[in-house]
Amino acid sequence: MNMHKSGLGMLRCALRSTLLWKCDISIMKQVPLCYNIKSLASTQLGSDKNKALASKSIRYYSHSAPDAAKESTAATETTEVQQNEAEKNALLVYLAGCKSPTEVLDELNRYSISVNEIGKIFFRMWECIEEMNSEQKQMKFKLIIEHPEFSALCERLMIEAGAMKHHALGRTLYAAVNLGVSQDSRVVQTLLRVAQEHLNQFDLNSLCILSRVLHDMKSRNALALREAIWLLLKDHIYETSNVATLTKLMNVVGKDSPLKLKKQLAQHGKHRPEPHTSVGHLQQEIGRCCHKMKYRNYTLFSSISKHMALTIDMCTDQQVLKILQAFEKLIFRPVELLDVFAERIIQEPEYLSVNELLTVLRVFSMANHDLKDKKTEFLSSLMPVIELHLPKMSPGPLLSLAFYLSLMQHFPPKPLEILLQPRTVECLMQSSQNGPGYSRSEESHLNMNMHKSGLGMLRCALRSTLLWKCDISIMKQVPLCYNIKSLASTQLGSDKNKALASKSIRYYSHSAPDAAKESTAATETTEVQQNEAEKNALLVYLAGCKSPTEVLDELNRYSISVNEIGKIFFRMWECIEEMNSEQKQIKFKLIIEHPEFSALCERLMIEAGAMKHHALGRTLYAAVNLGVSQDSRVVQTLLRVAQEHLNQFDLNSLCILSRALHDMKSRNALALREAIWLLLKDHIYETSNVATLTKLMNVVGKDSPLKLKKQLASKVFSLSSEFTSVDNFYIFSSMANIDVKHTHLLDTCSKKLAENIHDYSFTQLLKVLRCCYQMKYRNYTLFSSISKHMALTIDMCTDQQVLKILQAFEKLIFRPVELLDVFAERIIQEPEYLSVNELLTVLRVFSMANHDLKDKKTEFLSSLMPVIELHLPKMSPGPLLSLTFYLSLMQHFPPKPLEILLQPRTVECLMQSSQDGPEKNSYMLYALNLSLRLENPPLPSSMSSLTKLNLPSLDINHRVDQEIRSLIREIVGRDAVQEAVVEQGFYFIDFVISLPVQEETPGLQTEGAGSSQCAQRIALITVRENGLCYGTNHYRGNVVRKARHLEKLGYKTVLVPYNYFDLMPEAEKIEKLRSIFQPQMQKEIIGEPKTEGIS
């Protein structure tokens, strides 16, 4: 079998090295490019000896390469260039659609495969089984190894591995080992040998991939290769001055590298001047790393605690708990964070899961945190949640809960009654001694120790507490619930009261009805006496409901407090929030007509005065979004109660109320919003906390009085010396929310953002750019810093993230040079993973910015062409037009997209309809038609007739600058100047100046451009702000194309950046204009824009 295979391999190499490949392609089909030995493998599979070629063990690493492998290296490079691109793309599409490794292998003999694509095939098989459990993986491994195509792939891989790209080699090795191929097999050892031979040529990314592969490999040759990598890196540490590169090197060397090498890396990184390129606020990761390294720093931990306390409103409970867990492992008590988090738990404890509840109790009890006068309130707020989860708790978590509560000197009877039953204690003791269901890992031993010590300490605590001298049954609560079931049932029969919520009445300015006044005190009493068990059952019921009618159907089974009505309303809104408008209207009708909804609204009107402030705001928000009329009695009652208690609202409650009022148009809602603004206005100058002021900005909203918004911005600016990194970001966000452009404040924040750019995450930087666009604010220093930072950290970002940043820059008309250069290199290396939308975004950004790729432009466009051809069959006319338009801006005219686009049916479809209107399509078609006609690119003869499109003339309405007109006339005379000339029905020229010359001017004679052959025609074009990349003298793509086409039409083009020209003194303006009208001048650009931002 080996003789047959090696014979075929040598024959294959011989064919590649002869002139046979110049013959007709039919001759080559006798020896397929994909080197298929399927028939050979199928005849041999019955033999156990030859069942799995890939797993045959042989020490092969230290030997010299076989002749066939050496000879094939150069030959493969030739055949890859000649490979059919269409089949290559078809292979990628096929692989993307496969769901299992055997499906990947089944149809491979239909495709011609290059050696680098073998790596993609291996990696796709690994992706298909990556998420499976170990048993499923073992079954798949067996099927893969036994598949004949896999043997053929491995055989070819051994022959042609030397021709693989370095990153592809690492990935292939990684996938092969993870697919169950033996580490001592010939194919793995061949890949290791090739990696060793080319190791000096590997770049950093390829070394990272290879190092990751070798990390778990234990073979002698793999260990030798890892040592070779360490030696290679050791010589280059001191040549590297980039911190991001050094951190990458740390990841490459790994844990088991020599201690001296790791210390050298750390010491060298310490002395680098640039800050660490961390992405965002990685407090949680920092905490874990400190715990792992057994490193502690009080200043660092305190800063993280204070920062988290200030920004807790932006974090979920889960995020806060992860931070607290990290602090607990470090035996550090984050005082500020614990205080703020305790307040949040007191307000809304009911959303804590079992694990989160245990984490909260463990953190507070183990840290022995002093909650002062809030301790009783804190523990009382947790009791309903504890009783809610009690029925589902297993003995282990129940013991932990009671143990942590005992540390806080709190002994709730219900958990203890369940825990201290003999059966539960026996179960806990057995699990700790015998360990049924536990693995003998370190974690299980810790759990056992916790059970033992927990039971022991709990016994001691109980003995020392006088409360437990009483019988436990005495402490059981007597259920007393405020039941309105009878009220709801007696009122529902009448049509008059069927939909009370929809009855309109002006109620806001009247005094409160007696019933509402009398019920306030009564409800406070009944809520205290409410049955906690039934309350918890209601929360469980609401969590399981999937529609608003389901929420209402069973409500009469539960006793409901007034604050829980708000939760019912909010749950109904959550059920329909994601629906479309038609579905929502149907649900609104069902809700309004439901009898229970009328009963809820009736009770809400009576007891609204007893609601908590944040619950009131949420209920109002949910009611309005559920289709309840803004003029109905229930909404107007909520507005009136909010007005009466407005002075008692805290900042969070005001935020919720303001959000509820944001889209309300009723007279009373507007009056309440004005009352909120007046209330805030008096307190602005009393506040000296930046975080509080940014919250106030979010409360007032966009439509608040301009004077109030400016007062807030000015107050924040007065505290600029106290800004933290977090403040700088939230000020941008808040200023965008209120739609105010305070230039001095934004300049200050921009400067600090640019200085500490490494403190911000990708999401925050993207948000800053979007806020700048929203406020029409630009700052060159800020934008350049973001561009450089993204270029440095691009290896940590996905293509989608980079494209979002580039899109934001494009809207701001800024050209991020460093980021575009680095991203172009990534695209050249791996273009095939771009989707249609990503491809269009790439082309739009590079073409509209007129970015100069220098000597890489051809390589960049060539790398994109296979991807374009891959997506062409699926493209609709709109994206196809955009693609060809952007390529034409880059002076690239691929025939295949143009041939499809310029068919009469496609053009007619584009002219009739467009998402952005037919005007946009008409503009792009017209520009493309002119490009084809004037630039005359080399196209197939069959397309010559397609360029003659009958497109309607575009309406161009521009005004010329009067000052420039008068200056030009003063210099060259009135008769020599034409103004507002439209060339080719498309290009607007501000001024055409005809000057006499001695010889003919080359170019085309066109209508409206002057008739004398002895006249030099100068087209003077004023370029407005949107024609220049911000902060530079670099013209954008459309302007450059216009100048290029006018030169083809015989004009000499003069581009005048208007913004900079306008700032010149008049004498300098005349001098500049006079200098360009000399006959010997070929082209002049007026004005030298500043390289710094101009606000």
Side-chain angles (χ1 to χ4, degrees):
M1 180 176 173
N2 289 336
M3 183 186 72
H4 291 324
K5 291 179 182 176
S6 61
L8 282 171
M10 292 177 71
L11 177 62
R12 184 71 173 148
C13 295
L15 287 175
R16 288 196 182 119
S17 60
T18 62
L19 297 174
L20 273 177
W21 294 103
K22 295 183 180 178
C23 304
D24 185 62
I25 199 164
S26 61
I27 299 173
M28 293 186 287
K29 289 181 180 176
Q30 296 171 9
V31 185
L33 184 63
C34 58
Y35 190 73
N36 193 338
I37 58 162
K38 185 173 181 181
S39 57
L40 173 66
S42 60
T43 57
Q44 297 292 335
L45 286 176
S47 160
D48 291 333
K49 185 177 179 181
N50 296 313
K51 195 169 186 180
L53 176 70
S55 60
K56 183 182 281 187
S57 297
I58 182 170
R59 293 212 176 272
Y60 196 67
Y61 183 77
S62 56
H63 296 174
S64 60
D67 294 336
K70 283 183 176 177
E71 291 170 10
S72 70
T73 303
T76 307
E77 292 174 2
T78 308
T79 55
E80 281 188 355
V81 173
Q82 296 169 338
Q83 187 183 21
N84 185 339
E85 287 295 336
E87 288 193 20
K88 177 182 176 182
N89 295 333
L91 174 67
L92 296 177
V93 173
Y94 167 70
L95 291 177
C98 293
K99 304 300 181 186
S100 71
T102 48
E103 187 181 352
V104 169
L105 294 167
D106 285 341
E107 301 293 328
L108 281 183
N109 55 2
R110 292 170 47 199
Y111 304 96
S112 56
I113 302 165
S114 73
V115 66
N116 286 306
E117 285 169 342
I118 296 177
K120 292 177 183 175
I121 294 166
F122 272 66
F123 209 76
R124 182 57 190 158
M125 287 192 287
W126 166 240
E127 285 180 330
C128 291
I129 64 172
E130 190 174 4
E131 300 300 324
M132 296 181 182
N133 60 39
S134 56
E135 291 182 6
Q136 291 173 319
K137 281 181 181 177
Q138 289 302 323
M139 292 172 62
K140 293 294 182 182
F141 290 163
K142 187 177 180 183
L143 293 172
I144 292 168
I145 296 295
E146 292 177 351
H147 202 289
E149 281 295 335
F150 189 68
S151 299
L153 285 174
C154 290
E155 180 71 19
R156 182 162 175 222
L157 194 57
M158 287 190 292
I159 295 171
E160 302 186 27
M164 291 188 82
K165 292 180 180 178
H166 301 144
H167 68 276
L169 182 70
R171 286 184 178 176
T172 309
L173 182 59
Y174 176 78
V177 173
N178 281 287
L179 285 171
V181 179
S182 169
Q183 294 184 23
D184 292 321
S185 63
R186 288 174 61 194
V187 66
V188 171
Q189 293 300 319
T190 301
L191 291 172
L192 288 171
R193 176 185 51 74
V194 173
Q196 185 194 38
E197 289 175 358
H198 297 85
L199 196 58
N200 287 323
Q201 301 164 23
F202 274 50
D203 59 11
L204 189 57
N205 285 329
S206 303
L207 278 176
C208 283
I209 296 167
L210 183 61
S211 179
R212 181 187 173 198
V213 181
L214 297 172
H215 189 267
D216 297 319
M217 293 181 69
K218 305 301 180 187
S219 70
R220 187 177 67 183
N221 298 325
L223 295 174
L225 184 56
R226 289 174 72 187
E227 290 175 5
I229 292 174
W230 296 338
L231 289 172
L232 181 69
L233 293 175
K234 190 175 179 181
D235 298 333
H236 295 284
I237 288 175
Y238 292 101
E239 298 172 10
T240 306
S241 60
N242 183 282
V243 179
T245 308
L246 286 167
T247 52
K248 267 201 173 184
L249 290 178
M250 289 180 186
N251 293 326
V252 170
V253 301
K255 276 185 183 180
D256 48 357
S257 57
L259 182 61
K260 186 178 179 182
L261 176 62
K262 293 188 282 190
K263 284 186 175 180
Q264 281 178 339
L265 273 168
Q267 191 67 22
H268 192 58
K270 176 183 174 183
H271 297 294
R272 297 279 62 81
E274 57 183 283
H276 192 279
T277 56
S278 60
V279 181
H281 301 288
L282 302 178
Q283 293 96 334
Q284 179 188 333
E285 194 61 34
I286 289 169
R288 288 176 179 169
C289 292
C290 289
H291 174 66
K292 199 171 182 180
M293 297 184 290
K294 297 180 182 178
Y295 170 78
R296 291 188 286 183
N297 184 294
Y298 183 82
T299 307
L300 172 65
F301 297 168
S302 298
S303 300
I304 294 175
S305 171
K306 290 173 185 175
H307 166 70
M308 286 299 298
L310 284 171
T311 61
I312 195 168
D313 291 327
M314 312 298 170
C315 303
T316 62
D317 289 347
Q318 291 81 358
Q319 289 172 324
V320 178
L321 286 172
K322 284 178 181 177
I323 292 286
L324 289 174
Q325 281 178 300
F327 276 136
E328 196 219 331
K329 289 179 180 178
L330 292 161
I331 320 176
F332 177 78
R333 183 170 69 109
V335 180
E336 300 86 354
L337 181 55
L338 288 171
D339 286 338
V340 177
F341 191 49
E343 289 178 8
R344 177 191 280 190
I345 291 171
I346 289 168
Q347 288 181 3
E348 291 183 352
E350 61 268 15
Y351 299 112
L352 292 172
S353 66
V354 176
N355 290 333
E356 290 166 358
L357 178 64
L358 290 173
T359 305
V360 167
L361 291 172
R362 184 176 72 248
V363 167
F364 279 85
S365 62
M366 297 303 286
N368 187 28
H369 184 62
D370 183 13
L371 288 167
K372 299 174 184 174
D373 54 342
K374 290 185 179 178
K375 180 178 177 181
T376 306
E377 190 179 1
F378 175 76
L379 292 170
S380 300
S381 66
L382 288 178
M383 286 314 299
V385 189
I386 291 171
E387 291 175 7
L388 172 65
H389 292 306
L390 266 181
K392 299 177 285 184
M393 275 193 189
S394 58
L398 183 61
L399 172 60
S400 301
L401 182 140
F403 173 72
Y404 297 139
L405 286 171
S406 71
L407 288 177
M408 302 174 78
Q409 295 179 288
H410 189 64
F411 303 92
K414 285 190 178 179
L416 287 168
E417 186 178 4
I418 299 169
L419 175 66
L420 298 180
Q421 291 175 1
R423 186 178 298 174
T424 311
V425 175
E426 185 180 352
C427 175
L428 286 166
M429 295 304 292
Q430 285 178 353
S431 66
S432 66
Q433 290 169 7
N434 302 322
Y438 289 92
S439 63
R440 289 293 177 181
S441 64
E442 185 179 351
E443 185 179 358
S444 66
H445 285 302
L446 288 173
N447 288 338
M448 292 174 202
N449 292 335
M450 186 193 73
H451 290 325
K452 292 176 182 176
S453 61
L455 283 169
M457 291 181 71
L458 188 61
R459 287 193 190 103
C460 294
L462 292 178
R463 288 192 195 107
S464 62
T465 308
L466 293 174
L467 176 66
W468 296 98
K469 292 180 181 178
C470 306
D471 185 55
I472 201 163
S473 61
I474 299 173
M475 292 182 285
K476 291 185 179 178
Q477 295 179 356
V478 180
L480 291 171
C481 57
Y482 184 75
N483 198 337
I484 60 157
K485 187 173 175 182
S486 56
L487 170 65
S489 57
T490 55
Q491 297 290 335
L492 293 178
S494 108
D495 292 331
K496 182 178 179 181
N497 295 316
K498 192 170 186 181
L500 182 67
S502 59
K503 186 183 284 188
S504 296
I505 182 168
R506 295 205 177 276
Y507 197 67
Y508 182 79
S509 56
H510 297 173
S511 59
D514 295 336
K517 285 182 178 177
E518 292 169 6
S519 71
T520 304
T523 309
E524 290 174 1
T525 307
T526 56
E527 279 191 346
V528 174
Q529 297 169 334
Q530 186 184 17
N531 185 347
E532 290 295 336
E534 290 196 16
K535 176 182 176 182
N536 295 334
L538 173 66
L539 296 178
V540 173
Y541 167 69
L542 290 177
C545 293
K546 304 298 180 187
S547 72
T549 48
E550 187 182 353
V551 170
L552 294 167
D553 286 341
E554 301 293 327
L555 280 183
N556 56 2
R557 293 170 46 200
Y558 303 94
S559 56
I560 303 165
S561 73
V562 66
N563 285 306
E564 286 168 341
I565 296 176
K567 292 175 184 175
I568 293 167
F569 271 66
F570 209 76
R571 181 58 191 156
M572 287 192 285
W573 165 239
E574 283 179 330
C575 291
I576 64 172
E577 189 174 6
E578 300 299 325
M579 296 181 182
N580 59 39
S581 55
E582 291 183 7
Q583 291 173 317
K584 281 181 181 177
Q585 290 302 321
I586 295 169
K587 295 293 183 183
F588 289 163
K589 188 177 180 183
L590 292 172
I591 292 167
I592 296 295
E593 291 177 352
H594 201 288
E596 280 295 332
F597 189 68
S598 300
L600 284 174
C601 291
E602 179 73 23
R603 184 164 172 221
L604 195 57
M605 286 190 296
I606 296 171
E607 302 185 28
M611 292 187 82
K612 292 180 180 177
H613 301 144
H614 67 275
L616 182 69
R618 284 186 178 176
T619 307
L620 178 62
Y621 177 79
V624 173
N625 281 288
L626 284 171
V628 179
S629 170
Q630 293 184 24
D631 293 322
S632 62
R633 286 177 63 191
V634 65
V635 171
Q636 294 300 317
T637 301
L638 292 172
L639 289 170
R640 176 184 54 75
V641 173
Q643 185 194 38
E644 289 175 357
H645 297 85
L646 196 59
N647 287 323
Q648 302 163 25
F649 275 50
D650 60 13
L651 192 55
N652 284 330
S653 302
L654 278 176
C655 283
I656 296 167
L657 181 61
S658 180
R659 181 187 172 197
L661 296 171
H662 188 266
D663 296 319
M664 293 182 68
K665 304 299 180 186
S666 71
R667 188 177 67 181
N668 298 325
L670 295 174
L672 184 55
R673 288 170 72 188
E674 290 176 6
I676 292 174
W677 296 338
L678 289 170
L679 181 68
L680 294 175
K681 190 176 179 180
D682 296 334
H683 294 285
I684 288 174
Y685 293 103
E686 298 172 9
T687 306
S688 58
N689 184 281
V690 179
T692 306
L693 287 167
T694 53
K695 263 198 176 184
L696 290 178
M697 288 183 184
N698 294 324
V699 171
V700 300
K702 278 187 181 180
D703 48 358
S704 56
L706 182 60
K707 186 178 179 182
L708 175 63
K709 294 189 284 189
K710 285 186 174 180
Q711 281 179 339
L712 272 168
S714 299
K715 177 64 178 178
V716 173
F717 181 60
S718 69
L719 301 171
S720 57
S721 60
E722 302 173 16
F723 288 175
T724 63
S725 296
V726 183
D727 292 335
N728 294 321
F729 167 71
Y730 285 118
I731 287 167
F732 259 95
S733 178
S734 301
M735 295 288 282
N737 285 341
I738 62 175
D739 198 18
V740 166
K741 181 182 174 182
H742 191 293
T743 306
H744 296 302
L745 175 58
L746 293 173
D747 284 345
T748 303
C749 292
S750 296
K751 183 181 177 183
K752 293 187 178 181
L753 273 166
E755 289 171 356
N756 304 291
I757 196 73
H758 300 285
D759 292 344
Y760 301 96
S761 67
F762 158 79
T763 309
Q764 289 173 319
L765 294 177
L766 180 61
K767 177 72 172 174
V768 166
L769 291 177
R770 287 175 174 172
C771 289
C772 289
Y773 176 71
Q774 192 176 337
M775 294 183 287
K776 298 178 181 176
Y777 169 79
R778 294 188 290 182
N779 186 291
Y780 185 83
T781 306
L782 173 64
F783 295 170
S784 299
S785 300
I786 293 175
S787 171
K788 290 173 185 174
H789 170 71
M790 288 298 298
L792 283 172
T793 60
I794 195 169
D795 292 327
M796 303 178 192
C797 302
T798 62
D799 287 348
Q800 292 79 3
Q801 289 175 322
V802 178
L803 287 172
K804 284 178 181 178
I805 290 284
L806 290 174
Q807 281 178 301
F809 275 134
E810 196 219 328
K811 288 181 179 178
L812 291 161
I813 320 179
F814 178 79
R815 183 171 70 112
V817 180
E818 299 85 357
L819 181 56
L820 288 172
D821 286 338
V822 177
F823 191 51
E825 289 179 9
R826 178 190 281 191
I827 290 171
I828 289 169
Q829 288 178 4
E830 292 185 352
E832 62 268 17
Y833 299 112
L834 292 172
S835 66
V836 176
N837 289 332
E838 291 165 0
L839 178 64
L840 290 174
T841 305
V842 167
L843 290 172
R844 183 175 71 249
V845 167
F846 278 86
S847 62
M848 296 304 287
N850 184 31
H851 185 61
D852 183 14
L853 288 167
K854 299 174 184 173
D855 54 340
K856 290 186 179 178
K857 180 179 178 180
T858 306
E859 190 179 2
F860 176 76
L861 292 170
S862 300
S863 66
L864 288 177
M865 285 315 299
V867 190
I868 291 171
E869 291 175 8
L870 173 64
H871 293 306
L872 264 183
K874 300 176 286 183
M875 275 195 190
S876 58
L880 183 60
L881 173 59
S882 299
L883 182 140
T884 50
F885 175 77
Y886 299 138
L887 287 171
S888 71
L889 286 177
M890 302 173 80
Q891 295 179 277
H892 189 63
F893 302 90
K896 283 188 179 180
L898 283 169
E899 190 173 0
I900 299 170
L901 174 68
L902 298 179
Q903 291 175 1
R905 185 178 297 175
T906 310
V907 174
E908 185 181 353
C909 175
L910 286 166
M911 296 298 291
Q912 287 177 353
S913 64
S914 169
Q915 291 181 352
D916 301 314
E919 293 81 9
K920 181 182 177 182
N921 285 349
S922 179
Y923 171 83
M924 287 197 287
L925 280 169
Y926 214 112
L928 185 61
N929 184 42
L930 278 175
S931 297
L932 290 171
R933 194 153 53 84
L934 296 175
E935 300 186 37
N936 196 23
L939 296 172
S941 57
S942 60
M943 289 185 59
S944 58
S945 61
L946 296 177
T947 60
K948 298 176 182 177
L949 299 174
N950 296 317
L951 298 172
S953 296
L954 301 177
D955 293 329
I956 301 175
N957 186 18
H958 295 287
R959 291 183 180 179
V960 298
D961 185 81
Q962 301 299 318
E963 184 187 3
I964 295 177
R965 181 179 62 179
S966 61
L967 289 174
I968 293 173
R969 285 180 175 178
E970 183 182 335
I971 295 167
V972 299
R974 183 181 296 270
D975 295 336
V977 181
Q978 286 179 283
E979 62 181 72
V981 176
V982 178
E983 185 61 70
Q984 299 292 310
F986 188 72
Y987 291 126
F988 179 84
I989 306 173
D990 295 81
F991 304 101
V992 174
I993 299 98
S994 301
L995 298 176
V997 292
Q998 297 300 321
E999 54 186 31
E1000 288 189 14
T1001 302
L1004 303 175
Q1005 285 295 328
T1006 55
E1007 207 173 20
S1011 59
S1012 174
Q1013 290 187 358
C1014 293
Q1016 183 184 34
R1017 294 171 301 162
I1018 299 175
L1020 190 143
I1021 301 164
T1022 56
V1023 182
R1024 301 288 171 173
E1025 189 178 8
N1026 59 356
L1028 279 167
C1029 292
Y1030 172 69
T1032 67
N1033 59 356
H1034 188 83
Y1035 292 98
R1036 289 176 62 76
N1038 283 329
V1039 176
V1040 173
R1041 181 192 58 200
K1042 181 178 179 178
R1044 189 168 65 240
H1045 286 180
L1046 288 175
E1047 287 179 357
K1048 295 279 185 183
L1049 293 166
Y1051 291 94
K1052 185 170 65 175
T1053 309
V1054 177
L1055 301 175
V1056 181
Y1058 181 76
N1059 285 0
Y1060 305 105
F1061 183 78
D1062 192 47
L1063 297 173
M1064 292 180 185
E1066 187 173 348
E1068 192 177 344
K1069 290 179 184 178
I1070 294 171
E1071 185 183 347
K1072 282 284 184 183
L1073 289 172
R1074 196 183 297 277
S1075 67
I1076 67 170
F1077 297 137
Q1078 303 299 324
Q1080 66 269 20
M1081 295 293 291
Q1082 295 300 313
K1083 189 175 180 181
E1084 177 78 16
I1085 297 177
I1086 297 180
E1088 194 64 27
K1090 297 177 184 178
T1091 56
E1092 60 187 28
I1094 298 175
S1095 302

